[in-house]
Amino acid sequence: MRDRKHYALLLMIVISALAFSLLGTRWNALYYQNKDIYTVPNIPLVTAMKAIHDGTYLSDLFGSKASAAVSFIDNESLLFSNIAFRISETDLSAVEAMASDIRTYSFTTADDNYFKDACFIGDSRTVGISQYSGIENATFLCRNSLSIFDYDKKKFTYEDQKMSIREILSEQKFSKIYLMVGINECGTGTPETFFNNYRDVIMDIRNLQPDALIFIQGNLFVTERKSSEDANITNENISERNRLIATLANQQDIFYIDINESSLCEGGSLVSDYTWDQVHIQAQYYPIWKDFLLKHAIIV
């Protein structure tokens, strides 16, 4: 008789375990599946005990399964929403802090001392600036027919050594760097290939001269006559190249200056009375260039 009681008790325990396991499996699927936030193990018996403790089983008894499910979802959604809000709030603060450190600048007017510690890089037109503009306290790395492709070629004698522009910029620091090349490249490649090389040079200068302001000078137009007669050096070609390199300016440490907005040009062409060969301006007009640059100064 005693053995029968033991067997009956054991049978009840087994049946109860099976029943709770089935219920636990059901409740786990309905209410706790993938709910990591509740840290419930996916063991049916444990889930059943948790459901009884939480009162979840009442949802089945009173037919309010949907309400219970929504309750769990809403609670979890609310928690994750709060977390997301806190993360977003933190990110927003970080973005605002970063934005406060990023300042853009507008052009202003400066005097001749502004060109102290400045470096001018360019072709024959920059040679003209070095000789006739009246800028006396700057460094000029310029020569006739210089192109963007000459950036790393040893074409300059600097401190008694044959060096490239890149090598010089690697050794000597400047506060401002002016670059104007492009007219000699009008017959080479496309505006896009020119731009790609120009961009690489600007980025390299930015890396070599992290504290310098970089001024991208748009190429000066040629006369209307020159533009209509030449197959490559046309104002349309120059304008397209200028449009592309202007996109590199960010008004933070890289700036674009369009000399074609000065009185040297009129109606989209170089004023013919100001030039001796339809391309280069006469010596007495280079001070106009200098004054235009001084009216487009950046004071940090």
Side-chain angles (χ1 to χ4, degrees):
M1 181 68 69
R2 182 177 298 177
D3 289 340
R4 290 180 180 178
K5 290 182 177 180
H6 289 164
Y7 288 137
L9 181 61
L10 181 60
L11 182 60
M12 290 179 62
I13 292 174
V14 171
I15 293 174
S16 298
L18 289 173
F20 276 109
S21 294
L22 291 173
L23 288 172
T25 301
R26 171 183 170 79
W27 290 336
N28 183 66
L30 289 175
Y31 308 122
Y32 295 107
Q33 187 68 30
N34 296 326
K35 296 292 189 292
D36 294 336
I37 190 172
Y38 295 104
T39 62
V40 179
N42 292 325
I43 301 174
L45 280 175
V46 175
T47 302
M49 297 300 103
K50 177 66 176 176
I52 292 172
H53 176 271
D54 292 343
T56 308
Y57 68 95
L58 295 175
S59 298
D60 281 344
L61 293 178
F62 294 104
S64 56
K65 177 182 67 176
S67 298
V70 170
S71 176
F72 282 113
I73 294 173
D74 286 346
N75 288 337
E76 182 178 356
S77 299
L78 179 61
L79 179 59
F80 282 120
S81 295
N82 290 335
I83 293 173
F85 174 76
R86 289 197 294 272
I87 293 175
S88 298
E89 189 175 39
T90 302
D91 289 346
L92 180 60
S93 299
V95 170
E96 289 176 345
M98 291 175 62
S100 65
D101 292 334
I102 300 175
R103 179 177 177 182
T104 58
Y105 297 91
S106 300
F107 291 122
T108 187
T109 301
D111 57 29
D112 285 9
N113 291 325
Y114 180 75
F115 294 122
K116 182 180 180 181
D117 296 328
C119 177
F120 286 81
I121 302 170
D123 50 36
S124 55
R125 286 154 155 189
T126 303
V127 172
I129 295 175
S130 69
Q131 294 175 342
Y132 308 117
S133 69
I135 298 177
E136 299 178 350
N137 50 356
T139 297
F140 287 88
L141 303 178
C142 52
R143 60 179 296 157
N144 294 341
S145 301
L146 188 78
S147 75
I148 197 68
F149 307 107
D150 296 323
Y151 174 66
D152 56 358
K153 296 179 181 178
K154 297 180 182 293
K155 291 197 170 188
F156 294 88
T157 301
Y158 189 79
E159 296 182 350
D160 299 325
Q161 295 185 54
K162 216 44 170 169
M163 302 177 71
S164 67
I165 295 173
R166 188 180 192 282
E167 289 173 330
I168 296 171
L169 294 181
S170 298
E171 294 189 5
Q172 182 68 42
K173 298 301 180 183
F174 300 98
S175 61
K176 307 170 190 72
I177 296 176
Y178 290 84
L179 176 64
M180 192 187 70
V181 292
I183 192 169
N184 296 307
E185 296 89 326
C186 281
T188 303
T190 66
E192 288 72 26
T193 58
F194 164 74
F195 169 74
N196 290 336
N197 284 276
Y198 196 103
R199 177 197 57 208
D200 292 345
V201 168
I202 289 294
M203 294 302 101
D204 192 61
I205 293 175
R206 174 74 293 149
N207 182 56
L208 296 175
Q209 301 277 330
D211 299 322
L213 299 177
I214 299 176
F215 294 91
I216 297 170
Q217 293 190 81
N219 278 278
L220 181 67
F221 288 148
V222 296
T223 64
E224 185 177 356
R225 173 186 165 188
K226 174 69 175 179
S227 181
S228 62
E229 294 177 349
D230 197 292
N232 297 312
I233 303 178
T234 67
N235 287 330
E236 290 75 18
N237 210 351
I238 293 172
S239 181
E240 178 61 16
R241 283 164 165 75
N242 286 349
R243 182 188 66 81
L244 290 172
I245 64 176
T247 63
L248 297 172
N250 57 21
Q251 296 305 118
Q252 298 167 18
D253 56 3
I254 303 176
F255 305 88
Y256 178 75
I257 299 179
D258 189 359
I259 189 61
N260 297 303
E261 295 177 352
S262 73
S263 59
L264 293 173
C265 294
E266 189 176 84
S269 299
L270 176 62
V271 176
S272 58
D273 290 342
Y274 291 174
T275 176
W276 53 273
D277 66 349
Q278 313 301 315
V279 176
H280 301 84
I281 61 176
Q282 299 178 38
Q284 65 267 34
Y285 298 110
Y286 273 103
I288 295 176
W289 200 317
K290 181 193 78 170
D291 292 341
F292 189 79
L293 294 182
L294 288 177
K295 290 179 181 178
H296 291 75
I298 296 294
I299 307 297
V300 178

